[in-house]
Amino acid sequence: MTNRTQKVAMAIKQEISNIILRELKDPRIGFVTVTHVELTNDLKIAHVFYSFMGDTKGKEKTHHALLTARGYIRRLLGDRLKLRFVPEIHFEQDDSIQKTFEVAELLKKLKEEKKKDV
């Protein structure tokens, strides 16, 4: 990824985070954190990775709501960022934070079991 691509990805991440937090009023969207953005080299497609803390049903509702809001978010990006072409947005769920919590919980249980055995 070039330096320019990284800068544009960071700007897109910041703007989309702000839009989701402050401007989307869809009740289906729960607690969402944009974790990172990957852009294609031609800057035409932005893969926006997000994490969501909650149950499976909430994740599905949030994902559907984000997909529904893609056009609106893209239009706001076009208004705010001075780009020749506003990339197409693809939302993808990032489960790494959830998996980190699960691993930490497993390690905690193992530690507790080990203490009981001693």
Side-chain angles (χ1 to χ4, degrees):
M1 197 182 307
T2 66
N3 195 23
R4 172 167 166 66
T5 306
Q6 288 177 343
K7 286 181 181 179
V8 172
M10 289 296 291
I12 289 172
K13 176 185 179 241
Q14 184 66 38
E15 284 302 323
I16 290 178
S17 294
N18 287 333
I19 290 168
I20 291 172
L21 180 66
R22 293 186 176 90
E23 298 179 40
L24 290 184
K25 304 298 183 203
D26 193 326
R28 298 175 294 174
I29 297 177
F31 183 69
V32 173
T33 303
V34 177
T35 56
H36 67 283
V37 173
E38 292 179 2
L39 284 169
T40 56
N41 289 335
D42 60 2
L43 304 179
K44 295 210 178 197
I45 299 174
H47 296 277
V48 179
F49 293 87
Y50 68 94
S51 67
F52 173 82
M53 299 303 289
D55 62 0
T56 304
K57 189 173 183 179
K59 287 180 184 182
E60 290 172 4
K61 284 182 177 182
T62 296
H63 186 72
H64 183 69
L66 289 173
L67 293 179
T68 303
R70 275 193 303 199
Y72 176 71
I73 293 170
R74 187 175 181 203
R75 185 171 51 84
L76 290 178
L77 280 178
D79 292 344
R80 296 174 186 180
L81 300 177
K82 304 301 178 211
L83 298 173
R84 188 172 294 157
F85 182 82
V86 180
E88 184 179 322
I89 299 170
H90 294 262
F91 283 105
E92 299 181 33
Q93 198 163 351
D94 182 359
D95 291 330
S96 62
I97 294 174
Q98 182 68 31
K99 291 195 185 302
T100 301
F101 282 124
E102 290 171 5
V103 168
E105 190 64 32
L106 286 172
L107 291 172
K108 182 179 173 184
K109 287 180 182 178
L110 286 172
K111 187 176 180 180
E112 289 172 2
E113 287 177 15
K114 189 176 180 180
K115 284 183 180 179
K116 288 179 183 177
D117 291 341
V118 174

